[in-house]
Amino acid sequence: MKFVRYGEPGAERPGLIDPAGAMRSLEGHVPDIDAGLVGDSQTLARLAALDPASLPLVPASTRLGCPLAGIGKIVGVGLNYHDHARECGAAIPSEPILFLKATTSLCGPNDDIRLPEGAEKTDWEVELGVVIGRTARAVSREDALSYVFGYCVAHDVSERAHQLERGGQWTKGKSHDTFCPVGPWLVSAEDLADPQDLPMWCDVAGVRRQSSSTADMIFSVADVVSYISHFMTLMPGDLIITGTPAGVGLGQKPPFYLKRGDTVRLGIAELGEQQQTVA
Ligand code: ZN
């Protein structure tokens, strides 16, 4: 299923995208698309049995929120694409690089990105987001994908000056409000053929800057879910953002960054597209 949350910020309602691509309301069927739901197989089975055509249509122009409420933590993976590690002049990591990103950075897929006070080097990063569906503690690589509920597009907006020039850790540059647009949809894992074979892209001010595939990941989704679970318990509704490919502002020659008024469009095949304006 493709889940959405629609409506005004802080008052989003649950919905889904039907097979024809129309948005439908799930109000009255579930209170929200949240961490409780993604861990509740009975309710998910009940929703899957609904006839989408029987659900009320929601106008396509309705604002989308982050498609999952109650995200407990966001775990980022750094330098996880071969081509991005090369453009950063970094060695291929021997183990996944992890950072935490504040949940207050979450916003809807098409909300404005607000440059923080003193921003100098705010950068774009299209990423595959992975939502956990079952409590995962020290799980094996072989079992790891069975703990994944689904996938989404995540934009890991990053202020490089705060990330790299203000002392450890990366968290400083990753956590500003509006620095984590998620969506448009949360797609359940069974509806995705192969999370390691998804074209992904990012256009800034109408120019394609990132164009790659999740096939270029250094550590696969199974690798990172297993790896992270050996350092912290992953809970239903936790979000892992799995790294970005080459073509970020930091990797341009010379580097350049987002400025007020820029439009950023980014997407991943089967998971939809986001568009933000820099404010
Ligand atoms: Zn990132």
Side-chain angles (χ1 to χ4, degrees), residues 202-225:
C202 179
D203 297 347
V204 180
V207 179
R208 181 131 309 178
R209 297 296 179 185
Q210 294 187 282
S211 181
S212 187
S213 162
T214 58
D216 189 48
M217 278 187 195
I218 296 169
F219 300 102
S220 69
V221 173
D223 288 334
V224 299
V225 169

Side-chain angles (χ1 to χ4, degrees), residues 76-78 99 125 127 156 158 160 174 241-244:
V77 182
F99 60 89
E125 296 192 350
E127 306 208 2
D156 181 21
S158 303
R160 301 295 185 204
K174 300 282 189 177
I241 54 175
T242 53
T244 201

Side-chain angles (χ1 to χ4, degrees), residues 130-140 143-150 225 234-236:
V130 177
V131 171
I132 297 297
R134 293 199 289 143
T135 302
R137 191 178 290 120
V139 302
S140 71
D143 291 341
L145 291 184
S146 71
Y147 291 84
V148 172
F149 169 76
V225 169
L234 289 169
M235 299 295 292

Side-chain angles (χ1 to χ4, degrees), residues 23-98:
M23 184 155 44
R24 304 268 180 176
S25 175
L26 281 170
E27 274 194 283
H29 295 280
V30 279
D32 205 347
I33 310 300
D34 59 12
L37 176 66
V38 300
D40 179 353
S41 54
Q42 278 188 346
T43 303
L44 289 167
R46 182 164 58 73
L47 294 181
L50 292 171
D51 174 9
S54 70
L55 302 169
L57 280 165
V58 179
S61 59
T62 308
R63 173 190 173 270
L64 292 174
C66 173
L68 181 66
I71 293 173
K73 59 181 169 288
I74 306 170
V75 185
V77 182
L79 297 176
N80 196 29
Y81 282 73
H82 293 92
D83 59 358
H84 177 57
R86 272 194 295 274
E87 77 174 343
C88 291
I92 300 295
S94 56
E95 296 194 36
I97 293 168
L98 302 184

